Amino acid sequence: HTRTGDTLTSFNAGGSTDATLRSIVPPPAVISASVIPHSQADVQPVQEALAALSRTDPSVRVTEDAEEGQTLVHGLGALHLEIVEGRLKDEWGVKVQFGKRRVSYRENFGYEGEEGVETRSRWEKDMGGKRIGATVELKVSALVGDALKEDSSKQAVDSWGGSLVSVAEKPDDELEPFPSPESTSFNHTLYPSTSPVTAVLQGVLSALSSSPHTTLPLSHLNISITSFDLDQGSPPSTLTAAASDALRQALFKAGPGQVMEPYINVKIDVGEEGVGKVVRDLTENGGEILDLAEGSSTGATTGGEEEEVGPYSSEGIYLPPKWVTPASASLEAKSGGASFKRSVRAVAPLAKMLDYSSRLRAVSGGQATFEMSVEGFRPVGDVRRLEILKEMGRA
């Protein structure tokens, strides 16, 4: 199937048709929800609709939770999941609803030494009376900024959800960063599903999906596949098993890593009288205030400069007497001058900001607006780690 990010070329056009436009690499998902079909008859239509939607929106990821027997949809935020749910109902007409939104946590590499952890996995199995096998050697270390100097490395990291995977196709070749085989930037023409490189990357992808310590997806790993060998007559899937086993061995050797939580940048525009309540609400929910900038007043701007505007005239406006409604007194007081706003900039954990719209409306009296953007994943402390594992039923 054609999907968003593919390059379409015409064979009837003159000249070369080998040009490929830069692919779309969406940021990693930070929130997920379970997909609940209304009845058993709706399961297959829902699965087909999810597959079609994920082709049109590369930022949507669909996985299966084998332990809980659920289908999970991963997205970039609560609003994104609402849009996905609406599209499934409106465009595909399926009968479905999403469960409670859950933040997607990560685990990083547990070994902090620069030398990393090296492993070698020899995987063998009897199949149809024949012995098949493969060998994979790899090195794993924590991903640091020095490994992301080239644009190709940055694109590859985005496709792996925050990790860098490099492969040496031959023993004497240099390590080359590869995108995830599930991303639109992966060259399936050069590396089809039967390719040994694709098989090795599929094994790495499988191991990264679940930590042996917490079952969380893994992130911020620098994985180097230094060599791999497939026994004669063995299917490529043997390399997939060997690569997955090698990476899991390295993870066991390294020990548990830090649990990482998604954070967001948030900007709130609020009147000066509501700044204190907004700041207190953010700090009580784990937010970190970055800046308290002076916003613009209700006065107009001319040529980039603020123009002073006097109070609105009350001529022709009916104001009820004070004994009728107290609101008239406050309206008179406010009409004495322009209302100034401040911009509060902060970073906060996404898990504490899922209901921020209603919270902000309550603390500001409906007089504030906010914007959010993904900031990235940050390691959490021991107390928060225990809270997250208890929430997942792992502690």
Side-chain angles (χ1 to χ4, degrees), residues 201-222:
L201 293 178
Q202 286 288 359
V204 172
L205 184 65
S206 174
L208 285 176
S209 65
S210 177
S211 163
H213 308 291
T214 62
T215 72
L216 290 171
L218 291 144
S219 183
H220 292 66
L221 276 68
N222 189 355

Side-chain angles (χ1 to χ4, degrees), residues 5 10 17 74 82 120 140 170 203 208 212 225 270 312-313 322 325 337 351 386:
S10 173
T17 59
H74 307 263
E82 289 179 14
R120 179 181 184 273
V140 187
K170 297 179 180 179
L208 285 176
I225 313 294
V270 62
Y312 288 106
S313 172
K322 294 180 182 179
T325 171
L386 186 59

Side-chain angles (χ1 to χ4, degrees), residues 55-247:
R55 289 195 297 270
T56 64
D57 185 352
S59 58
V60 174
R61 192 164 57 89
V62 182
T63 62
E64 298 290 336
D65 189 330
E67 291 187 9
E68 299 183 5
Q70 291 183 326
T71 300
L72 300 179
V73 173
H74 307 263
L76 304 180
L79 178 59
H80 188 203
L81 291 185
E82 289 179 14
I83 294 173
V84 170
E85 184 177 5
R87 290 188 63 189
L88 288 173
K89 295 177 180 178
D90 298 338
E91 297 182 25
W92 281 272
V94 294
K95 297 177 181 179
V96 67
Q97 66 182 42
F98 283 5
K100 182 180 178 182
R101 273 60 169 166
R102 294 169 56 181
V103 171
S104 299
Y105 301 101
R106 299 284 191 275
E107 181 185 333
N108 64 9
F109 193 54
Y111 187 80
E112 297 181 356
E114 294 183 2
E115 64 275 12
V117 175
E118 296 184 12
T119 58
R120 179 181 184 273
S121 173
R122 172 64 185 173
W123 198 87
E124 294 180 329
K125 183 181 179 180
D126 288 324
M127 180 178 290
K130 181 182 178 182
R131 195 72 172 170
I132 62 173
T135 305
V136 173
E137 295 182 11
L138 55 80
K139 176 183 176 181
V140 187
S141 60
L143 182 63
V144 294
D146 294 342
L148 303 177
K149 292 180 179 179
E150 299 182 3
D151 290 341
S152 59
S153 298
K154 295 178 182 178
Q155 292 182 38
V157 166
D158 289 338
S159 71
W160 287 99
S163 293
L164 177 63
V165 180
S166 305
V167 180
E169 296 189 51
K170 297 179 180 179
D172 296 331
D173 289 353
E174 293 186 359
L175 289 167
E176 179 184 353
F178 272 78
S180 167
E182 289 190 349
S183 70
T184 57
S185 56
F186 188 79
N187 192 333
H188 290 280
T189 303
L190 188 60
Y191 301 99
S193 59
T194 56
S195 165
V197 172
T198 305
V200 169
L201 293 178
Q202 286 288 359
V204 172
L205 184 65
S206 174
L208 285 176
S209 65
S210 177
S211 163
H213 308 291
T214 62
T215 72
L216 290 171
L218 291 144
S219 183
H220 292 66
L221 276 68
N222 189 355
I223 303 169
S224 301
I225 313 294
T226 52
S227 70
F228 55 89
D229 181 61
L230 182 65
D231 292 359
Q232 187 174 4
S234 299
S237 58
T238 315
L239 273 174
T240 301
S244 180
D245 181 65
L247 182 51

